[in-house]
Amino acid sequence: MHIGELSRRSGVKAHQLRYYEAQGLLAPGRTAAGYRRYDQADLVKVTQIRHLLDAGLSTEDIAYLLPCATGEAPELVGCPELLTALRARLRRVDDQIDTLTRSREALVRYIDDAERVGATTYGPFGAIPAEPAHA
């Protein structure tokens, strides 16, 4: 199948498929005229890529993990390299969650403090009209 057909069947835009190719995630064959040719295995691989991206993995991580993937879901074979990469990604996600949690807690404190202080308005959120300039 050509790129347009793969795009239609996978729901992934053609430019994204070309990006996956540039990242080493797909390696389509070529016709005599130079057009990309994909097969059913490429359709499965695109589905795997989408699922792994949805899990928060980078294309670099995915390139590393794809050899361990089978089926559309995908199912990942627990090779040591795969587990190391997934655990590293999980640590990064946990760190981001911790950072966002601290930010959220700080915002809640600021909101609570501001509500206790009252309704005075300042700055761009409710600017107090400036005093007219005296000539």
Side-chain angles (χ1 to χ4, degrees), residues 9 25 27 29-30 33 60 64 84 89 97 120-122 131 135:
R9 290 178 64 185
L25 303 177
R30 297 284 180 159
E60 184 179 333
Y64 187 72
T84 298
R89 180 62 185 141
I97 289 170
T120 305
T121 58
Y122 298 95
E131 292 292 322

Side-chain angles (χ1 to χ4, degrees), residues 12 16 20 29 31 40 49-50 60 65 68 70 78 89-90 98 107 132:
V12 175
Q16 291 172 296
Y20 297 163
T31 67
Q40 187 62 32
I49 292 166
R50 296 306 304 167
E60 184 179 333
L65 303 177
C68 300
T70 61
R89 180 62 185 141
L90 181 59
D98 290 344
L107 287 169

